[in-house]
Amino acid sequence: MKISNRRSRHAVTGVALGAVLALTATACGDDGSGAGGDKGAEGSGKGKIVFWDNNGGVRTEIWKEIIADFEKAHPDIDVEYVGIASTEYQSKVDTALQGGGLPDVGGVGSAMIAGFAAQGALEPLDERLAESSLDGKLNKDMVESLKAAGGGDDRLYSIPTSANNGVLYYRTDLFEKAGLQEPTTWDRFYEAADKLTNKGRNEFGYTIRGGAGSIAQALDAMYGQSGITSFWDTSGERTTVNDPRNVKALERYAALYKKVTPAADLNNDFTKMVAQWDSGTIGMLNHNLGSYQDHVKALGVDKFRGIPQPTGPGGKRVQVSNPVDGLGLFKSGKNKEAAWKFIEFATSEAENSKFNEAAGQVPSNTDAAQDAWISKAEPTKLAADALSDGSTTIVQLPYYLPDWNTISKADNEPNFQKVLLGKTSAKEFLDTMAEQLNTAQEEWDQQHG
């Protein structure tokens, strides 16, 4: 695997995914007092803590299993679980940062760390990790990935739980019936999307993500088709998102909407998109390793495959990075000792393996990463092969920018919907995003020299 990055100090974020896949008494939140900037307290190591799940609903069941295991092992600690949809998590934390009510511990992936850390919300975890039984047991590249995403101070604000990767899921039975080849290239992808569509029978070749989370998927399709291998140009100050080759790629991709996709895709987040694909009348879906188990439950293992993203120019595969997920300790917590015990437990070998098998993702605990279930989950195994055989280049997204999450979500998801509807051109959309990114990068450079 090749990593393309504008600065070497951020390259580790991209390395993480490829390397790990190649491995085959009182608590803040209960009284509403926790707010950004509060120093909190270590507490007694007993009592109640509050945990915010950043993928509530999707991961609720497995987190409740882990919490039950934890409370059995630590009967003097009670964990209050709060499941928050991934699409609402950042706004929920941002609101609590201003008004109070932050939890003791919560999900903090690489896409959110810089913004939270910049507001003083997160506790640095380097010393706790060094003194923990987890020291030396977590994938080093994942740890470095989260450090690099933290905003430039080289501190660790989240303990990694898992890594993910983009996957193209396709219906093997529908492809066989239509006499189509596996969609291993973008040309085959577009051919299949067209041939598998029959609107009269409510059959579609593809489901496109038009709602929450749409920007990352659109970027993946753009860079995959254009073959551009860096998010920044040679100056390191200007983004390549609005390069003419990316504009052309987005025009082709956005034109799929309503031509070979359901109209409902305009507002679909990943849960609705996955459920729609699992209903059985759509040929292809771009998502990640996390939905693999959902497809198995809905379709069985014989009707679909999950393969690495299609290859583009010259047979090379280019993908944008997927965030590493993790658990962070909020600085305002009043029972940090107990909250840290929960993080340690959740990322121990047995619990980390249990979580990732349910989620279909790659464990951060190096012992858990050796478990047999990983080799049996075909998309994970194929992703590992693709990322270790030299055929894939990762375009590292700038998670280190405090404004990244806002730019890639609230600021531009509505604009992408306008592109799908034909109300805004792909060029106008990408030029707007590029201006925002270039400004954010300039501000970051000024602050970090």
Side-chain angles (χ1 to χ4, degrees):
M1 177 190 68
K2 297 180 180 178
I3 302 295
S4 178
N5 214 298
R6 78 176 200 90
R7 293 185 179 181
S8 60
R9 65 175 177 268
H10 302 310
V12 290
T13 315
V15 172
L17 186 58
V20 71
L21 284 173
L23 293 172
T24 273
T26 59
C28 143
D30 51 346
D31 63 357
S33 63
D38 290 354
K39 293 182 179 180
E42 281 298 303
S44 65
K46 302 178 182 180
K48 175 185 172 184
I49 60 172
V50 178
F51 165 55
W52 282 8
D53 175 10
N54 62 341
N55 202 355
V58 179
R59 303 286 177 248
T60 297
E61 185 177 340
I62 184 59
W63 272 121
K64 287 191 173 181
E65 285 187 31
I66 292 171
I67 289 169
D69 292 345
F70 175 76
E71 290 179 340
K72 184 177 180 180
H74 298 272
D76 53 359
I77 302 175
D78 293 318
V79 181
E80 178 185 332
Y81 171 86
V82 180
I84 301 169
S86 60
T87 54
E88 301 172 3
Y89 190 75
Q90 181 176 357
S91 62
K92 179 81 170 177
V93 174
D94 286 341
T95 299
L97 277 167
Q98 302 304 316
L102 283 167
D104 298 279
V105 60
V108 182
S110 52
M112 296 184 181
I113 291 180
F116 294 166
Q119 298 177 78
L122 299 172
E123 181 91 356
L125 301 175
D126 306 81
E127 292 183 9
R128 293 180 192 268
L129 179 58
E131 297 172 359
S132 167
S133 60
L134 290 174
D135 188 38
K137 293 292 186 180
L138 298 177
N139 181 275
K140 293 179 181 179
D141 293 310
M142 275 194 183
V143 171
E144 290 303 317
S145 169
L146 292 177
K147 277 189 177 183
D153 63 3
D154 199 36
R155 303 177 90 175
L156 182 65
Y157 292 103
S158 181
I159 298 298
T161 56
S162 55
N164 216 331
N165 195 45
V167 177
L168 177 60
Y169 293 102
Y170 75 97
R171 288 288 300 275
T172 51
D173 55 342
L174 300 182
F175 269 69
E176 184 177 349
K177 183 179 179 180
L180 289 165
Q181 294 179 296
E182 189 173 53
T184 53
T185 69
W186 282 102
D187 286 341
R188 289 184 183 178
F189 164 83
Y190 282 104
E191 177 189 6
D194 184 59
K195 288 191 175 182
L196 291 173
T197 298
N198 186 322
K199 294 182 181 179
R201 295 201 298 260
N202 198 37
E203 296 171 353
F204 298 93
Y206 185 59
T207 175
I208 196 169
R209 189 168 181 170
S214 61
I215 303 303
Q217 182 170 305
L219 292 174
D220 215 13
M222 282 166 40
Y223 282 91
Q225 293 174 82
S226 71
I228 295 172
T229 58
S230 176
F231 195 78
W232 303 97
D233 67 11
T234 53
S235 73
E237 306 302 327
R238 311 290 294 180
T239 181
T240 58
V241 295
N242 61 337
D243 183 286
R245 291 168 290 174
N246 275 334
V247 172
K248 183 178 179 180
L250 185 60
E251 288 172 344
R252 188 181 187 191
Y253 183 71
L256 293 172
Y257 176 63
K258 287 183 70 173
K259 179 183 177 184
V260 300
T261 79
D265 282 358
L266 182 69
N267 295 304
N268 279 356
D269 59 14
F270 84 92
T271 54
K272 293 176 182 176
M273 182 178 67
V274 166
Q276 185 171 260
W277 192 72
D278 287 346
S279 70
T281 60
I282 300 173
M284 295 179 292
L285 161 76
N286 273 116
H287 191 229
N288 55 46
L289 295 169
S291 60
Y292 173 67
Q293 295 296 340
D294 294 324
H295 309 321
V296 172
K297 291 177 183 177
L299 303 169
V301 295
D302 298 326
K303 291 184 179 180
F304 81 97
R305 291 190 76 197
I307 62 174
Q309 299 285 48
T311 57
K316 290 291 185 179
R317 180 180 296 103
V318 177
Q319 294 180 212
V320 299
S321 55
N322 274 263
V324 173
D325 207 1
L327 295 172
L329 195 65
F330 285 91
K331 188 179 290 185
S332 58
K334 303 300 190 295
N335 200 355
K336 294 178 187 177
E337 183 180 343
W340 174 250
K341 289 178 182 178
F342 177 71
I343 292 177
E344 283 184 303
F345 186 85
T347 49
S348 65
E349 178 184 357
E351 302 302 319
N352 190 237
S353 181
K354 179 186 293 187
F355 174 83
N356 281 285
E357 183 173 12
Q361 299 178 165
V362 183
S364 59
N365 188 293
T366 53
D367 292 331
Q370 304 300 319
D371 286 357
W373 66 263
I374 294 177
S375 63
K376 296 177 183 177
E378 186 188 37
T380 301
K381 185 177 185 301
L382 291 176
D385 293 341
L387 290 167
S388 61
D389 64 8
S391 67
T392 302
T393 298
I394 299 294
V395 176
Q396 181 54 45
L397 298 179
Y399 301 127
Y400 59 89
L401 294 177
D403 294 335
W404 167 250
N405 225 33
T406 301
I407 292 171
S408 64
K409 292 186 180 292
D411 284 358
N412 284 294
E413 287 176 349
N415 292 338
F416 181 64
Q417 290 180 319
K418 292 179 182 178
V419 176
L420 295 180
L421 293 170
K423 295 180 178 180
T424 299
S425 72
K427 185 177 187 305
E428 290 171 329
F429 166 71
L430 292 175
D431 282 346
T432 297
M433 181 182 286
E435 183 178 355
Q436 294 168 334
L437 287 163
N438 293 337
T439 298
Q441 181 60 49
E442 182 180 358
E443 293 173 352
W444 193 92
D445 282 339
Q446 290 173 351
Q447 294 172 7
H448 297 86

